[in-house]
Amino acid sequence: MTKLLAPALCLALAAAVLGAGPAAAQLPSNVAPRPVGSGLCFNGLPVPPLAAGVVWQQSCLCDLAGPAEVQGYRVQCTNATFLDVHVSDCCVVGDHWQLKSKNWDNRPNTAVTTSPGPVVQFGVPGRVYNYGGTAQNPGNLDAYVECTYLHGVDIFGASSFLSFSSNGACVVTPDAVRSRIDRTP
């Protein structure tokens, strides 16, 4: 039997790894307790080094209760030429996570990135580009990002830290967690 890791426990583990004090181990005061799989986004989570030109960044938790679950995020940006996504394992050394990003554009493009496995170590960014939008959404970036558990120690619930960043102004909208087979390339 496995136990779901509470969000505060995940943050406490990250704080311990990062060497932060006990205050960093708590959810921010404006964040209410949430069900596992809510994809909640808020400030105060670990952030990787960001690319030059980034003017917007948002952090989220990807919480999954099993290996066949997928957490999705719609990211809509104005005045953006790119969207970068990073992922890091939150809590159990040896877990590897994957992010797949797709931007629907007049030249659709896809990026895939993974986490290296140590707790709170981000992998390289996955980047999708804005090639002018679509006739219905000219000039804007409209991407979808899927967070999946790639492989690891297979203890669930499991969590990862996500970072979205761009040179434009963006909004992240989490979807409900769904069970399905990951179809990444």
Side-chain angles (χ1 to χ4, degrees):
M1 175 188 281
T2 61
K3 292 179 113 180
L4 295 177
L5 292 175
L9 175 59
C10 184
L11 292 174
L13 288 169
V17 169
L18 294 172
Q26 301 300 316
L27 286 170
S29 61
N30 63 338
V31 177
R34 71 199 199 304
V36 170
S38 69
L40 191 64
C41 301
F42 55 91
N43 295 325
L45 295 176
V47 176
L50 302 177
V54 165
V55 297
W56 170 87
Q57 188 278 330
Q58 180 66 63
S59 298
C60 299
L61 286 175
C62 176
D63 298 318
L64 301 179
E69 290 190 343
V70 177
Q71 171 72 62
Y73 302 84
R74 185 173 184 188
V75 185
Q76 297 171 291
C77 304
T78 56
N79 301 317
T81 61
F82 68 87
L83 171 68
D84 283 349
V85 296
H86 290 83
V87 61
S88 170
D89 183 39
C90 164
C91 304
V92 179
V93 174
D95 278 347
H96 296 264
W97 295 80
Q98 178 175 275
L99 294 180
K100 178 181 180 183
S101 307
K102 175 116 179 149
N103 181 34
W104 283 270
D105 201 293
N106 60 24
R107 288 181 223 129
N109 56 108
T110 303
V112 178
T113 188
T114 61
S115 64
V119 173
V120 194
Q121 183 177 344
F122 287 91
V124 298
R127 177 175 280 193
V128 291
Y129 295 92
N130 180 358
Y131 291 111
T134 63
Q136 294 73 30
N137 189 23
N140 296 316
L141 190 146
D142 191 352
Y144 195 75
V145 179
E146 291 182 327
C147 172
T148 56
Y149 181 84
L150 192 55
H151 62 84
V153 297
D154 201 26
I155 298 173
F156 289 93
S159 298
S160 61
F161 296 121
L162 310 184
S163 174
F164 302 94
S165 58
S166 179
N167 63 347
C170 305
V171 173
V172 178
T173 307
D175 271 348
V177 171
R178 293 181 169 80
S179 293
R180 64 178 175 239
I181 295 173
D182 170 34
R183 294 187 228 149
T184 298

